[in-house]
Amino acid sequence: MHGTTHIAGPCDLHLHSSQSDGTEPPAQVMASAHRHGLRTVALTDHDTTSGWAEAADAAASLDMLLLPGMELSSRHEWRSVHLLGYLFDPDDATLRDLTSRIRSSRLERARAMADRIARDMDLTWEDILAHTSDGATVGRPHIADALVSRGLVRDRSEAFDSILHPGGEYYVALYAPDPVTATAAIVGAGGVAIVAHPAGRAGLLPAPLTERMLDAGLSGFELGHRENQPAATRSLARICRDRDLIVTGSSDYHGMGKPNLPGEHTTAPEMVQRIIDRAHGSAPVYP
Ligand code: AMP
Ligand code: FE
Ligand code: FE
Ligand code: ZN
């Protein structure tokens, strides 16, 4: 299929389902993407591949090209770094161990945050579970939804700005590997690694860290994303051009969990082709 397949646009390579912190099951995410006109998509739930099978069936029946993916949690010092991985082998032992360690830490961490919040507010662990799909990667958005249904905040955004804020007394950190280890895990599993929303409010990653990630096989950056800041994005775009890196643009759709809509940023079909050509861990689902 190398270089010969026609990639139909528009392409959006960053979508979340209720297997992590999106609000729609994988099949519904595919239907929403299709309704917004997308013809090539990737499902990128946080730290899990559990939505792949359902998304693949739905994408096939909608005649969409699907790149199975994931958004892998990592951390550098205080900063959370999200890595988009595409077309890796979901059975790779190293990557599986890493993601299962992150997911169990997320579960413990959500319980710890719930305990802290419960000291001051009317919120139970059961409230949070009620907002988390079976087998989903749990995160602060699920706690936010429980806070909303208890009437303690208006929406997820208000929860993140107040009770769930990293600077606040209720916040507990989760375990996440350093970005170089996370990059190597995706690449080692035959996947393509792209830094998600690399020019957000925290600013660009330190240049030496970026170099070490590139040495570990990082392929590029998600330059099209609503959280990216214009000046930092322009300087990163120059680096991508000079070094011929892969650049993507995507919505980071979370269903009703965020205002982001499918297709609000898109990826050029040539870039999708480069991702497919570089990956060897799993196959895209062709229409
Ligand atoms: P966690 O990884 O559990 O610490 O939670 C971070 C997740 O929360 C990210 O994946 C975001 O998608 C989501 N998130 C962050 N800020 C907001 C917000 N203001 N509104 C809704 N979701 C958010
Ligand atoms: Fe998320
Ligand atoms: Fe992210
Ligand atoms: Zn995301």
Side-chain angles (χ1 to χ4, degrees), residues 125-191:
W125 178 241
E126 285 66 39
D127 291 338
I128 296 164
L129 281 185
H131 289 276
T132 312
S133 304
D134 276 349
T137 301
V138 67
R140 283 182 290 160
H142 302 103
I143 308 177
D145 291 346
L147 291 167
V148 171
S149 69
R150 282 277 180 175
L152 294 161
V153 292
R154 237 183 356 255
D155 54 22
R156 280 189 182 184
S157 279
E158 190 186 328
F160 273 88
D161 290 341
S162 58
I163 300 166
L164 303 179
H165 197 274
E169 59 184 304
Y170 307 113
Y171 185 80
V172 177
L174 55 92
Y175 160 78
D178 72 85
V180 177
T181 303
T183 302
I186 293 168
V187 174

Side-chain angles (χ1 to χ4, degrees), residues 69-107:
M70 181 167 75
E71 186 172 12
L72 182 59
S73 303
S74 77
R75 189 170 51 240
H76 176 69
E77 294 167 357
W78 49 269
R79 177 206 297 258
S80 139
V81 179
H82 286 176
L83 277 169
L84 293 162
Y86 299 108
L87 301 170
F88 54 85
D89 174 4
D91 297 321
D92 178 84
T94 304
L95 189 58
R96 278 188 80 105
D97 288 352
L98 196 60
T99 52
S100 82
R101 183 167 170 204
I102 297 168
R103 288 195 311 271
S104 27
S105 154
R106 282 177 160 285
L107 195 57

Side-chain angles (χ1 to χ4, degrees), residues 13-16 42-46 68-73 81-88 182-183 186 191-198 218-225 248-250 252 275:
L13 303 184
H14 187 165
L15 306 165
H16 292 268
L43 183 72
T44 54
D45 277 312
H46 298 284
M70 181 167 75
E71 186 172 12
L72 182 59
S73 303
V81 179
H82 286 176
L83 277 169
L84 293 162
Y86 299 108
L87 301 170
F88 54 85
T183 302
I186 293 168
V192 169
I194 305 279
V195 182
H197 39 76
L218 179 73
S219 285
F221 295 88
E222 184 185 52
L223 291 186
H225 188 289
T248 66
S250 296
D252 205 356
I275 292 171

